[in-house]
Amino acid sequence: MAQLTLGKALGAGLRQAMRDDDKVVLLGEDIGRLGGVFRITDGLLDEFGPTRVIDTPLAESGIVGTAVGLAFRGYRPVVEIQFDGFVYPAFDQIVAQVAKLHYRTQGRVRMPITIRIPWAGGIGAAEHHSESPEAYFVHTAGLRVIAVSNPEDAYRSLRQAVASDDPVIFFEPKRLYHHKGEVDLDTALADSPPMGLARVMRTGTDATLITYGAMVATALDAAEAAADEGVSLEVIDLRSLSPVDYDSVAASVRKTGRVVVAHEASREAGVAAEVIASVTERCFEYLEAAPLRVTGHDIPYPPAKLEKFHLPDLDRMLDAVDRVLDRPNSLTGADA
Amino acid sequence: MAQLTLGKALGAGLRQAMRDDDKVVLLGEDIGRLGGVFRITDGLLDEFGPTRVIDTPLAESGIVGTAVGLAFRGYRPVVEIQFDGFVYPAFDQIVAQVAKLHYRTQGRVRMPITIRIPWAGGIGAAEHHSESPEAYFVHTAGLRVIAVSNPEDAYRSLRQAVASDDPVIFFEPKRLYHHKGEVDLDTALADSPPMGLARVMRTGTDATLITYGAMVATALDAAEAAADEGVSLEVIDLRSLSPVDYDSVAASVRKTGRVVVAHEASREAGVAAEVIASVTERCFEYLEAAPLRVTGHDIPYPPAKLEKFHLPDLDRMLDAVDRVLDRPNSLTGADA
Amino acid sequence: MSPQITPISDTEQDLELAERILQPDGTRIANHDLDRYIADLSAEDIRALHRDMVVLRRIDAEGVALQRQGQLGLWAPCRGQEATQIGTARALLAQDFVFPSYRETGVIYARGAAPADFVRMWRGEEGAGHDPESLRVAPLQIIIGAQTLHAVGYALGIRHDGADEVAVTYFGDGATSQGDVNEAMIFASSYRAPVVFVCQNNHWAISEPVSVQSQYPIAGRAPGFGIPSMRVDGNDVLACVASMRWALEHARSGNGPAYIEAVTYRMGPHTTADDPTRYRSDDELEKWRGRDPIARVEAHLRALGELSDDQLAEAEAAADAMAREMRAECLGMVTRPPLAVFDGVYAEPHSGLERQRSEYAAYLASFDGEV
Amino acid sequence: MSPQITPISDTEQDLELAERILQPDGTRIANHDLDRYIADLSAEDIRALHRDMVVLRRIDAEGVALQRQGQLGLWAPCRGQEATQIGTARALLAQDFVFPSYRETGVIYARGAAPADFVRMWRGEEGAGHDPESLRVAPLQIIIGAQTLHAVGYALGIRHDGADEVAVTYFGDGATSQGDVNEAMIFASSYRAPVVFVCQNNHWAISEPVSVQSQYPIAGRAPGFGIPSMRVDGNDVLACVASMRWALEHARSGNGPAYIEAVTYRMGPHTTADDPTRYRSDDELEKWRGRDPIARVEAHLRALGELSDDQLAEAEAAADAMAREMRAECLGMVTRPPLAVFDGVYAEPHSGLERQRSEYAAYLASFDGEV
Ligand SMILES: Cc1ncc(C[n+]2csc(CCOP(=O)(O)OP(=O)(O)O)c2C)c(N)n1
Ligand SMILES: Cc1ncc(C[n+]2csc(CCOP(=O)(O)OP(=O)(O)O)c2C)c(N)n1
Ligand SMILES: [Mg+2]
Ligand SMILES: [Mg+2]
C-alpha cells in the first residue's frame, strides 16, 4: 500500500502498464519532456525513451488516427488528450474508426487504444477546459467508458484499460489530481476485480445517490450531511459508464426505492438520463418516487466566476434528496 | 396545398428561405450543379447563382467553420452534410464554436446556422451512411435539434430553422425523401405554429408511443395493428428533440399512464433515455408501468443485409407495447 | 517572398506537368528520373501488368453489372484508373501494408484478393470485404481521408520495429481537402515515417471538379511539408510502377515519407448511384477515352511485337474466369443470422450488450411458434 | 520530381531565412521587396510603433502580476512578440476584421481595446473580453486553429459583399498542425478569399519546439496551396508592418489569400500555469534576449536621434497609466449574479432551459430566508 495522489497513481499505472507490455506506447501533446500539463507522464520519457513516449504534433485527429495505425500494427497506444474540450477534433476518428474497426472487421482488427481525458470542471479554468463530454462516448457503441474518482481505482482501472483489447475512453477528474489516497500497487491485475463494476461507497437505506468522478466526494459529503438530519443515503460510484453495472445499481434501488443521479455534465440526454431510464425499466415496482437528476445546466460551461452556479454541489444534492424523499425542498418552497 | 415528396418539400423550403432573405447562403459538397446527392438543392444554383449555392472543398470542418465566419458577417448559412456519418469531422466546430459563440459573447454574436443532415438507415446503404447521431447534438447545449417526418413539417420547419437566430441541427430521414404528402406552401411563417412543438399523430388511451423521424410512420402502422387487437395507442411525433415539448408529451402520458419511446439510434444515453427520464420526473404518479425503449441496439450500424435486425420495426414496437401493457410478450415467453 | 505560383489552366497543361514514360499512343520516351526504376522490367513483366489491367477492368464491369442486377447495394467503379492502381500496387513488396479508400479494387486485386472479397462489403454482408492481415490491406475506408492517418501510425510502428516495410495509403483528389490528409503529411514528416501517399487525382470528387479542391498541382503541396513528391501520368502504367518504386525506395531507406499524385480520370460514375451526365461533358469524357490506360500499354506491347492475339485472348479468358467466379461467389453468399448483428462489437464481454443480445434472442424466439 | 527540400538546421539559419529591415542592433538595411511598403513611415510613425510596444509590454506584465496576485485565473504572456503583434495589427485598416487566438493581447490593444477588455475573460467573468463588433476582432479563440476557418468564411462574405475589407487570422506555430488550419488554406485558395494568415512562429507550442510540428519553414507550406507567403523576422517591427501591408494589399486587390510567418520567440511561459524551465534552456532564452524587439526599434530611433529621453519617459508613463487603469478595472469588476449563467445560451426562448432556469431560481430563492 502506498499513499499517492490521483495524478501520481495514474502515472504509476502507466509505468506499470509499460513495463508489463512493451507494445504500450504513449502519444500526446507535451507528454514527453514536460510530463504532460498535469505531469501524469512525468518521468516516463526518461524511463522508456522517445519511441514509447511520443510528443505529437498539435492535432488531436492526427493523434488518434495515428494511434489507430499503431493498433493495426499490434501496438497498444495510450493517448493523452490535453483537456476534455480538445477531444472534439478527434471525434470522427474515435466514433467512426476506433469504435467501429473491430466490428467492421468482425473482430479481425483489434483496437486496444486507451484515450485518457483530464476531465470536468471546478478548477476555475478558461473556456473549453472544464467539459464533461462523457455522454457522447457512452452513446457510441464499440467504446468502453471509465470514470475514476480515487487513486486506488485510477491505478487499477488505468492498467485494466490499457490491457483491455477494446478501446477505452478514460476520464480523469482533474480537480482531484492532487487528492491523496491509499493505492495497492502490488495486487496482480488478474486478481483485481474486473473493470466495469460499480462500487457502493456508503451503505444507506432511504435513497440511493448515484454518481461518478469528482462528484463522488460531493455525494459522500452530502450523505454525511443527510445523516445528520437522520436521512440514510446509499452512495454508488458507477466507475464504468459503459457498460454500467446495473446489477449493483438495481440491488441498491430495490432496497431504497428512491434514486438521485448526479453529474456535472449537462442534463439533456446525459448519463443520468440513461441511468434513470434503465433503473426505471429494471426496478419500476420498487420505486417510491420519481428518480431525480442533479446535473450541470443545459448551458455551455460558464465562465470560471460563475461555475459554482453550474456545478452540482452538496446543497443541490441535498435538495434533490429532499425532493425524492418528499421532504420540504426548493420546489415545495417550504422550510425557510 | 401541393402534393410534394419530402425531398421536394425541403427544396421548396430552401428556395423560399432564399427568396425571403438574401443573406441565406447554402454550403455543401455537390450541392451546386448536381443539386446534392439527394437532389434537395436541385435548381437552386440556377436560380441563385454560385455565390449563394456554394460547392465547397471536401472537408466538413471547413464547411462548418467557414459557415461560422459567414455568420459573423451577418450571413445565414445553411450547410448540407452529405450523409449523417460525415458530420463527425465537423463535430468540433459544431460543439465548440457553433453551439457556444452566442453564449461566449453574451449574445453579441449570433449563429443562425442550419446544418441539414440526411439521416438514419433503412436504405441498404454502405457503412457510415445510416447513422443516427441526434443524441450527440441534443446533449450539446446551445443547439436546437429538429427531426422531420413528413413533407409538410419539412417545408415549414426548414424555413423556421433557417429563420431562427439560433443554430439548428436539422435531421431529414433519407428513407422518406421520396414519400409524398400535402404541403401548405402559402401560410406565412408568422402564422405557422412555432418550431419546437410535438404533434399528436393519433389519439389513443392505452399507451403513448413516442418517436420521431422515419419511425413515426412505423409507429402509426403499429398503432393501426394494435387497434386490431383492441389496444388504443396514442402516437406522438416529437418533431423537436431540443427542446422537447414536454407539455404535450406529459399531457398524453397523464392520460395513458404507459409509455414506449422508439428510435433507430442506439440506446445507451440516447434520446429515449432523456424522454423517459423527463417523463418519469414529470408524470411519475401517473405511470402504471415502466416506460420502455425500442431502439437500435448498442452496436455500430450493421452491414446492409443485417440492418433489419437492428432497426425497430412494427413487431418490435408491438412487443414493447405488449410489455408495457403487461400483455403476453417476448420476455414473458407467452403466446406463441 | 515565396516564388510565383501558377494555377493549372486546362487539362492539356495538367497532363504536361506529369511524368511520363509511355505516350498515349504507346511509344516509349526517355525519362531521366524514372527510367532507372523500371530498367529491370521485361516484356513479360509488362505483359503481366497489361493482363492485370484487363482482369481488373472485367472485375469492375462485373461489379457494375451485379449492382445493376440488384446483387450489390453499390459499386464504386475504377474504370480508367487501372494503370494507377495496378502500376503502384505491383511495385509493392509482400510485406508492405496498404491503407486504401473505397475505389481501390485494383489494389486489393493486386494484393491477392479472392473473387468473393470484391463483393462481400458492397453486397452488405460484412463491414470489410477481405481479411486485412492476409492481404496486408486495411479494410476499404469510406470516411474520406481517415485512412491516411492510419497509414502514418502504422509506418511509425514499422520504424519503431526497425522493419523493412512501407505503409502505403491511397486517397482521391477530393480527399486532399480533408484535415486528416494534411495532418497525415505533418505527422509523417515529423516522424520521418516510412509511408507513401498515393493521391489518385481522377479529376472528380463526385460532381466537383478537382479545381474546387485545388487550382494548383496537388503534388505541389507535399514539399512544403518536407515530403518529396512526384506528379505522374496515372494512365501510364510504366510511369506508375517507376514512380512508386522511387517513392517506396525513398521510404524504405529511412528517408521518411514520399508523395505521388497520379493524374488519371474516373471514366465511370462516382458510384452506381451517381449520374455523371448531370455535371460533366461528353467532350471531356471523349478526350479521356483517347488516353485509355489499357490501350496505351497494349499499343506499346503490340509495337514491340510482345503481345500476340493469343496472349490477348488468354488475358481476356482470365478476366472472364475471374468475373464468373466473382458472380458465383456473390450469388452464393449466405447472409449471417440475425443475432450476428451483435458479433464483434467488443473483443471482451460487455454486460449492457450481452443483455440486449439475450433480450433480442428471446424476442426472435417468440416468433418461432408463429411461422 | 519535386525540388530538394532542406530542413532548418538551427536557430541562426532559421532567422537568416526571414525577411528583415532592421538588424538586431537597430541598423536599417535595404530590403528590395519590403522597402516600398514602409516608404511613407515617418520617424513619428516609428516612434508610435515603439510606444505601442512599450505599452503592450507593460499590459502584459500587469496581466502576469494580476494573475500572480490571484486576480486573474490565467494569463498568456506575449512578451517577445510585441513587434509581430503591433507591426501586423497597425498595418490593418479600420474596416478589416481580425480572428485571433488567445495570445494576441497586442492585436486587441492595437484595435482599441479598453483596459478592462484585457482582463475580463482571463478573470473568468465573461466568455469574451471585448465587444467583437466595435473592435472588429472576434473573441479570443482557445481551440487551436478553429478561428482560421472563421476568418476564411468571413472573407468569403467580404468578397460576396464586394467590400473593401480583409479578414485576418492569427495563430501559432503549433496550430499549423491542426486540420482546420490546413483546411482554411484550402478553402481560402479555392474561394480566392481576401484573408491574411499570420502565423506567429514563437518557436514553442507549450513544451514542444517548433521542430515537432515542422522541420521546414512553415511559410513554405502556403505556396503549395496557391497562397503566396513571406517569412519575416517577427522581432523587426518595420518588417512586420511592411510584410503585413504586402499581404493586405494582395488580399485587398482581389488576388486571394496571403500568408505571413513571423519568426519570433515566446520569452515568457506558455501561460502563467506553465514552467518553461522544465523544457527549455537558459542559453536559448539568452540568445533571444539579445534580439529583443523593443530594444531593436529603440536603438534604431536613438541612432536616428528620433527618440529623446523625454519621449521615452512619455511612453513609459503611458504604459504605467494603462497598467493602473487595467488594475483598477480588474479589481472593480463585479461578478454577474448566479442566474446569469443562463443568459445568452439561445437567442430565442428554449422551453427546456427556461424550465431549468426557473427551477434554479426557486432553488436559489429557497436560501433567502436562511442567510
Ligand atoms: C468525411 C466524408 N465526407 C463526405 C463523404 C462523401 N463522399 C464519398 S466519396 C466523395 C468524393 C471523394 O472524391 P475523391 O477524394 O476525389 O475520391 P474519388 O471518389 O474520386 O475516388 C464524397 C464527397 C465521405 N465518404 N466522407
Ligand atoms: C484543439 C486544442 N488542442 C490543444 C490545446 C491546448 N493548447 C493550448 S495552447 C497550445 C500550444 C499552442 O501552440 P502555438 O500554436 O504555437 O501557439 P502559442 O501558444 O505558441 O502562441 C496547446 C497544445 C488547445 N487549446 N486546443
Ligand atoms: Mg477524385
Ligand atoms: Mg507557438
Side-chain angles (χ1 to χ4, degrees), chain B:
Chain B
M1 283 292 176
Q3 272 278 337
L4 292 181
T5 61
L6 182 92
K8 292 279 180 216
L10 290 163
L14 285 176
R15 173 173 284 112
Q16 194 55 50
M18 295 183 80
R19 287 180 182 165
D20 289 348
D21 182 349
D22 64 11
K23 290 294 184 192
V24 175
V25 294
L26 313 189
L27 301 165
E29 296 159 5
D30 304 293
I31 65 169
R33 194 108 59 104
L34 184 62
V37 295
F38 295 106
R39 310 290 186 267
I40 306 301
T41 56
D42 195 22
L44 299 181
L45 174 66
D46 285 345
E47 179 168 347
F48 300 103
T51 58
R52 296 189 63 199
V53 180
I54 305 172
D55 265 343
T56 65
L58 205 176
E60 289 76 11
S61 189
I63 298 171
V64 174
T66 52
V68 168
L70 282 160
F72 258 102
R73 188 147 180 106
Y75 282 87
R76 207 170 265 284
V78 182
V79 165
E80 175 173 303
I81 299 291
Q82 196 161 81
F83 276 86
D84 34 57
F86 310 146
V87 70
Y88 307 127
F91 202 71
D92 178 55
Q93 285 285 348
I94 295 174
V95 164
Q97 308 299 331
V98 173
K100 290 187 173 138
L101 264 158
H102 192 260
Y103 190 68
R104 183 178 305 153
T105 60
Q106 290 191 70
R108 291 201 195 91
V109 175
R110 299 205 155 174
M111 285 290 124
I113 299 176
T114 302
I115 300 181
R116 295 180 37 239
I117 306 184
W119 165 60
I123 58 162
E127 202 189 357
H128 310 292
H129 290 71
S130 305
E131 303 266 304
S132 291
E134 63 269 21
Y136 298 132
F137 301 106
V138 170
H139 186 58
T140 305
L143 303 175
R144 292 174 188 273
V145 182
I146 296 292
V148 298
S149 69
N150 61 73
E152 168 73 19
D153 283 358
Y155 175 74
R156 193 196 61 258
S157 58
L158 181 51
R159 288 178 61 203
Q160 290 172 321
V162 176
S164 169
D165 279 340
D166 288 317
V168 179
I169 312 292
F170 193 90
F171 286 104
E172 307 170 356
K174 58 179 105 74
R175 70 162 127 159
L176 299 186
Y177 272 143
H178 296 292
H179 282 231
K180 277 198 172 157
E182 289 284 316
V183 180
D184 170 6
L185 296 170
D186 305 318
T187 306
L189 265 201
D191 301 330
S192 302
M195 185 174 82
L197 296 186
R199 180 168 160 208
V200 176
M201 302 296 284
R202 176 186 176 116
T203 56
T205 51
D206 294 332
T208 303
L209 183 46
I210 301 169
T211 190
Y212 52 89
M215 290 282 112
V216 172
T218 314
L220 288 170
D221 290 346
E224 197 62 38
D228 291 345
E229 300 191 36
V231 173
S232 164
L233 294 183
E234 181 140 315
V235 176
I236 293 185
D237 178 1
L238 288 178
R239 304 204 288 192
S240 169
L241 307 184
S242 179
V244 167
D245 172 12
Y246 282 116
D247 288 344
S248 302
V249 172
S252 174
V253 174
R254 292 206 182 92
K255 183 173 70 175
T256 64
R258 300 181 193 262
V259 185
V260 172
V261 188
H263 58 55
E264 291 189 28
S266 58
R267 184 176 307 180
E268 272 190 295
V271 169
E274 166 59 33
V275 171
I276 288 175
S278 288
V279 161
T280 305
E281 224 167 272
R282 283 166 172 84
C283 309
F284 184 71
E285 60 278 28
Y286 296 88
L287 288 178
E288 293 171 40
L292 294 180
R293 291 178 276 182
V294 185
T295 68
H297 311 300
D298 285 325
I299 61 174
Y301 200 89
K305 291 276 184 186
L306 297 177
E307 72 178 339
K308 61 175 172 292
F309 307 116
H310 174 64
L311 294 173
D313 59 11
L314 184 144
D315 286 326
R316 282 178 66 200
M317 287 191 191
L318 289 179
D319 183 55
V321 167
D322 287 340
R323 280 188 283 143
V324 87
L325 286 167
D326 236 339
R327 290 157 48 97
N329 64 67
S330 68
L331 295 184
T332 60
D335 68 352

Side-chain angles (χ1 to χ4, degrees), chain A residues 236-304:
Chain A
I236 293 185
D237 177 1
L238 288 178
R239 303 203 291 189
S240 169
L241 307 182
S242 179
V244 167
D245 171 12
Y246 282 116
D247 289 344
S248 303
V249 172
S252 174
V253 174
R254 292 206 181 93
K255 181 173 68 173
T256 63
R258 300 180 194 263
V259 184
V260 172
V261 188
H263 57 56
E264 291 189 29
S266 59
R267 184 176 307 181
E268 271 189 295
V271 170
E274 166 58 32
V275 171
I276 288 175
S278 288
V279 162
T280 304
E281 226 165 270
R282 283 166 171 83
C283 310
F284 184 70
E285 59 278 30
Y286 297 88
L287 289 178
E288 292 171 39
L292 293 180
R293 290 179 277 182
V294 185
T295 68
H297 311 299
D298 286 324
I299 61 174
Y301 201 88

Side-chain angles (χ1 to χ4, degrees), chain C residues 72-83:
Chain C
L72 302 179
L74 196 72
W75 183 263
C78 65
R79 188 186 179 95
Q81 301 177 220
E82 293 90 351

Side-chain angles (χ1 to χ4, degrees), chain C residues 173 202 204-205:
Chain C
D173 47 300
N202 64 5
W204 291 92

Side-chain angles (χ1 to χ4, degrees), chain A:
Chain A
M1 282 290 177
Q3 273 276 337
L4 292 180
T5 63
L6 182 87
K8 291 282 181 213
L10 291 163
L14 286 175
R15 174 173 285 113
Q16 194 55 53
M18 295 182 80
R19 287 180 183 168
D20 289 346
D21 182 350
D22 64 10
K23 290 294 183 191
V24 175
V25 294
L26 313 189
L27 302 165
E29 296 159 6
D30 304 293
I31 64 168
R33 195 106 60 103
L34 185 61
V37 296
F38 295 107
R39 309 291 186 267
I40 306 302
T41 56
D42 196 21
L44 299 182
L45 174 66
D46 285 344
E47 180 169 347
F48 300 102
T51 58
R52 295 189 62 198
V53 180
I54 306 171
D55 265 343
T56 65
L58 206 176
E60 288 76 9
S61 188
I63 298 171
V64 175
T66 51
V68 169
L70 282 161
F72 259 102
R73 188 145 181 106
Y75 281 87
R76 206 170 267 284
V78 182
V79 164
E80 175 173 302
I81 298 291
Q82 196 160 82
F83 276 86
D84 36 56
F86 310 145
V87 70
Y88 306 126
F91 202 71
D92 178 55
Q93 285 285 349
I94 296 174
V95 164
Q97 309 299 332
V98 174
K100 290 186 174 142
L101 264 158
H102 192 262
Y103 190 67
R104 182 178 304 152
T105 60
Q106 291 191 72
R108 290 201 196 91
V109 176
R110 300 205 154 173
M111 285 289 125
I113 299 176
T114 302
I115 301 181
R116 295 179 38 237
I117 306 185
W119 164 60
I123 59 162
E127 201 189 358
H128 309 292
H129 291 71
S130 305
E131 304 267 304
S132 291
E134 62 270 21
Y136 298 132
F137 302 107
V138 171
H139 185 57
T140 304
L143 303 175
R144 292 175 189 273
V145 182
I146 296 292
V148 297
S149 69
N150 61 73
E152 168 72 20
D153 284 358
Y155 176 73
R156 193 196 60 259
S157 59
L158 181 51
R159 287 178 61 203
Q160 291 173 320
V162 176
S164 168
D165 279 339
D166 289 316
V168 179
I169 313 291
F170 193 90
F171 286 104
E172 307 170 357
K174 60 178 103 72
R175 70 161 126 158
L176 299 186
Y177 272 143
H178 298 292
H179 282 230
K180 277 199 172 156
E182 289 285 316
V183 180
D184 170 5
L185 295 169
D186 305 318
T187 305
L189 265 201
D191 302 330
S192 301
M195 185 175 81
L197 296 186
R199 179 168 162 208
V200 177
M201 303 295 284
R202 178 187 175 116
T203 55
T205 52
D206 294 333
T208 303
L209 183 46
I210 301 169
T211 189
Y212 53 90
M215 290 281 113
V216 172
T218 315
L220 288 170
D221 290 347
E224 197 62 38
D228 291 346
E229 299 191 37
V231 173
S232 165
L233 294 182
E234 181 141 313
V235 176
I236 293 185
D237 177 1
L238 288 178
R239 303 203 291 189
S240 169
L241 307 182
S242 179
V244 167
D245 171 12
Y246 282 116
D247 289 344
S248 303
V249 172
S252 174
V253 174
R254 292 206 181 93
K255 181 173 68 173
T256 63
R258 300 180 194 263
V259 184
V260 172
V261 188
H263 57 56
E264 291 189 29
S266 59
R267 184 176 307 181
E268 271 189 295
V271 170
E274 166 58 32
V275 171
I276 288 175
S278 288
V279 162
T280 304
E281 226 165 270
R282 283 166 171 83
C283 310
F284 184 70
E285 59 278 30
Y286 297 88
L287 289 178
E288 292 171 39
L292 293 180
R293 290 179 277 182
V294 185
T295 68
H297 311 299
D298 286 324
I299 61 174
Y301 201 88
K305 290 277 184 186
L306 297 177
E307 71 178 339
K308 60 175 171 290
F309 306 116
H310 173 64
L311 293 173
D313 58 12
L314 184 144
D315 286 326
R316 281 178 65 200
M317 287 191 190
L318 288 178
D319 183 56
V321 167
D322 287 341
R323 281 189 282 144
V324 85
L325 286 167
D326 237 339
R327 290 157 49 96
N329 63 69
S330 69
L331 295 184
T332 60
D335 70 351

Side-chain angles (χ1 to χ4, degrees), chain C residues 81 102-103 172-174 200-206 266:
Chain C
Q81 301 177 220
Y102 45 83
R103 202 184 295 287
D173 47 300
Q200 291 186 74
N201 174 359
N202 64 5
H203 283 84
W204 291 92
I206 309 187
R266 190 195 82 207

